[in-house]
Amino acid sequence: MTKKLYIKTYGCQMNVYDSERMSDVLAAQGFSSTEVAEDADLVILNTCHIREKAAEKVYSDLGRLRAAGGPDGRLIAVGGCVAQAEGAEIRARAPFVDIVFGPQTYHRLADMVERATRGQAVVETDFPTEAKFDHLPGATPGRHGHTAFVAVQEGCDKFCTFCVVPYTRGAEYSRPAQAILDEIRALASQGVREVTLLGQNVNAYHGAAPAAGGGAGGAGPDGDWTLARLSRAIAAIDGIARIRYTTSHPRDMGGDLILAHRDVPELMPYLHLPVQSGSDRVLKAMNRKHTVADYLKVIDRLRAVRPDMAMSGDFIVGFPGETDADFEATLQLVERVDYASAYSFKYSPRPGTPAADLGDQVPEDVKSERLHRLQDLLSAQQRGFNARMVGRRLPVLLERPGRHAGQMVGRSPYMQAVVVEAPADAAGRMVEVDIDAVNSFSLNGRIAGGEWSPRPLYPASPAVAATPVAGSGL
Ligand code: SAH
Ligand code: SF4
Ligand code: F3S
């Protein structure tokens, strides 16, 4: 008899990826997915600990789940970063939770479910010595079949003073290049055209080079492959037309990765590069280990080699001790960069992180006011960016049917949804689209040409080609 599995995912794309892998692991145990929590024999909340609101939501959701009930013998599991941070405490607050498991243990889910079925309380939040990825089935295509997330790196050694991720995800780990290339080849043969390489610090990637053929050229100091080298190998895989990666840290934006944006047309000209603040004083207190000038230099270099490079970022307002002048500096930085899109948050003190214990916490109303001003500016920039697409011809990867018959929706290089008239069997095709209108959540356009090859559209600029960029980033 098949059992039903319901997973709710909170937080970042890595968690989305993890949830997909969890359902793959459990599919082998006879679980099929349902969208209805009350029908599920196993409910997993894959949680996020990044801000207080996200973490607290888990407990209200647990209460609701319990009240709504479910089939006899239904199991409730809490996974992800709250599980890692709070461990057995979760069962103290919600004793009806059967399984608590961290982000590095979910390859053992089948065994955990089996033990819980026998009535054991399961808490698995260790950082196991074996690599999770060696025990997981390969990544699968996303919902519409033509894009996929592929984890290449996980964990973080940066210890920004506000952030829980180094504690919930553990130390930096890079998967061997060969395993990643094999996985992407398999995805490509299933129709995937676009891969998003995932990692908490994805551009710190330094995975073991494949055993034979090509350790040279772009290999890191110890013979490992960098993200730039890996991207070039992925770009050479038949069928892969687009490569994205997220999330990057400014300090790891190495010279070879910047140059890859010039030389590898499959690398999309859209980069999420969080900076958090535009004040050097605040950046120092955050332990970001880079200045505003360092950050701007990286963007200038990127735009020098790839003039159409669009930027995305993350910002925190109201970090302890942030003054009006610090906040104004953040607005100035935003003005200077001109973001295509960005995420901004009020600082949320997290237990166990150094910044939570700092004096000089910023009052809530000041945080709210700053967040509003910042978001107004960022949304104006985003509207401006989208408006500038009108009249341009953009390569679009068609992904899924649109709302109306005869329509397809795809993505521009900048992640904008683009609606065009096209037959349903055009999904997975790369087309050129003349953009003629911009709406709140999408662009409209007309297909100008068929199968698009990434090669000829953006010729390298020879003037910049000769400019060396320091190997270690900043
Ligand atoms: N690894 C990525 C993202 C980490 S979390 C990076 O280094 O950029 C995603 C975003 O959440 C961060 O970029 C930051 O803007 C925000 N964030 C992290 N901790 C936070 C906190 N305590 N309060 C508010 N926002 C936070
Ligand atoms: Fe958190 Fe900083 Fe690591 Fe990003 S780099 S995950 S913000 S500690
Ligand atoms: Fe949240 Fe964990 Fe991702 S804390 S942002 S789910 S790494």
Side-chain angles (χ1 to χ4, degrees):
M1 195 189 74
T2 71
K3 292 157 284 179
K4 288 192 175 143
L5 167 69
Y6 172 87
I7 306 186
K8 174 164 179 178
T9 309
Y10 310 66
C12 62
Q13 280 164 323
M14 187 65 102
N15 253 18
V16 174
Y17 170 88
D18 289 344
S19 291
E20 288 172 3
R21 296 283 72 71
M22 287 173 204
S23 70
D24 293 343
V25 166
L26 290 166
Q29 307 299 312
F31 280 94
S32 64
S33 294
T34 171
E35 304 283 311
V36 187
E38 293 90 82
D39 291 351
D41 302 284
L42 171 60
V43 173
I44 298 178
L45 303 186
N46 189 18
T47 62
C48 172
H49 200 241
I50 203 81
R51 286 167 290 275
E52 189 181 0
K53 257 200 197 130
E56 282 304 311
K57 182 140 201 319
V58 174
Y59 289 100
S60 53
D61 285 353
L62 278 172
R64 248 199 308 278
L65 265 175
R66 189 180 192 210
D72 280 351
R74 189 250 323 253
L75 296 176
I76 296 185
V78 178
C81 291
V82 176
Q84 189 62 44
E86 298 186 3
E89 248 176 75
I90 292 181
R91 297 196 71 250
R93 270 181 81 174
F96 53 90
V97 169
D98 303 286
I99 303 173
V100 176
F101 65 101
Q104 303 307 342
T105 62
Y106 66 79
H107 55 295
R108 303 183 190 155
L109 257 175
D111 171 61
M112 293 185 226
V113 169
E114 199 263 321
R115 277 155 54 210
T117 309
R118 284 190 274 115
Q120 257 184 47
V122 178
V123 179
E124 287 216 15
T125 51
D126 53 339
F127 289 118
T129 45
E130 82 263 18
K132 170 179 72 187
F133 294 105
D134 295 345
H135 299 266
L136 287 174
T140 41
R143 218 168 111 214
H144 303 290
H146 302 291
T147 61
F149 287 142
V150 177
V152 303
Q153 181 278 338
E154 200 176 354
C156 179
D157 296 340
K158 295 276 192 301
F159 291 92
C160 299
T161 54
F162 52 81
C163 184
V164 295
V165 171
Y167 311 99
T168 63
R169 290 276 168 174
E172 263 180 24
Y173 169 78
S174 294
R175 293 178 66 195
Q178 190 65 59
I180 297 165
L181 295 174
D182 290 347
E183 200 165 298
I184 295 178
R185 252 179 234 117
L187 288 167
S189 72
Q190 296 169 71
V192 167
R193 312 285 321 264
E194 170 178 317
V195 288
T196 302
L197 310 178
L198 292 181
Q200 266 91 35
N201 264 292
V202 72
N203 57 345
Y205 176 83
H206 57 95
D222 38 14
D224 287 351
W225 271 18
T226 60
L227 188 65
R229 182 69 188 86
L230 181 68
S231 301
R232 276 189 253 131
I234 294 171
I237 293 175
D238 269 353
I240 298 298
R242 288 180 162 184
I243 304 169
R244 305 179 187 277
Y245 56 93
T246 196
T247 297
S248 298
H249 192 288
R251 272 179 68 83
D252 296 317
M253 213 58 221
D256 64 339
L257 186 53
I258 293 176
L259 290 181
H261 277 278
R262 178 196 67 193
D263 299 333
V264 183
E266 288 82 358
L267 269 182
M268 287 295 96
Y270 177 68
L271 182 64
H272 184 65
L273 194 63
V275 62
Q276 317 297 354
S277 168
S279 154
D280 282 339
R281 218 177 54 81
V282 174
L283 289 176
K284 194 163 195 313
M286 287 176 162
N287 192 33
R288 290 289 293 180
K289 298 204 179 83
H290 64 79
T291 62
V292 172
D294 294 331
Y295 180 76
L296 291 174
K297 194 154 77 187
V298 167
I299 294 178
D300 287 347
R301 283 172 169 174
L302 282 164
R303 286 179 169 162
V305 300
R306 189 76 206 236
D308 61 339
M309 193 69 162
M311 298 304 304
S312 162
D314 288 347
F315 296 89
I316 294 177
V317 299
F319 185 82
E322 185 188 71
T323 63
D324 284 340
D326 293 322
F327 175 65
E328 293 302 327
T330 298
L331 294 178
Q332 265 173 34
L333 169 78
V334 171
E335 294 278 8
R336 165 77 154 62
V337 173
D338 197 6
Y339 287 90
S341 83
Y343 301 89
S344 44
F345 312 98
K346 287 194 262 189
Y347 169 69
S348 169
R350 306 305 293 131
T353 60
D357 298 327
L358 293 175
D360 223 0
Q361 297 284 329
V362 175
E364 199 55 30
D365 56 334
V366 177
K367 285 188 202 170
S368 299
E369 203 256 337
R370 287 180 188 166
L371 187 68
H372 266 123
R373 284 184 61 197
L374 178 59
Q375 290 189 337
D376 281 351
L377 177 58
L378 289 168
S379 3
Q381 290 189 342
Q382 182 168 15
R383 282 194 303 275
F385 179 78
N386 289 338
R388 289 199 294 280
M389 297 298 127
V390 176
R392 277 185 64 180
R393 178 168 292 185
L394 296 178
V396 170
L397 171 60
L398 298 176
E399 285 176 28
R400 60 186 162 89
R403 222 174 327 148
H404 303 291
Q407 279 184 342
M408 290 291 292
V409 184
R411 296 253 173 216
S412 77
Y414 317 110
M415 290 299 278
Q416 296 143 309
V418 181
V419 183
V420 293
E421 276 182 28
D425 65 3
R429 285 189 57 202
M430 193 68 92
V431 292
E432 288 189 74
V433 174
D434 288 326
I435 304 296
D436 38 36
V438 47
N439 311 309
S440 332
F441 298 105
S442 60
L443 306 174
N444 279 83
R446 285 162 292 115
I447 294 181
E451 201 67 9
W452 169 78
S453 149
R455 299 257 162 223
L457 266 186
Y458 302 104
S461 141
V464 202
T467 313
V469 184
S472 62
L474 301 172

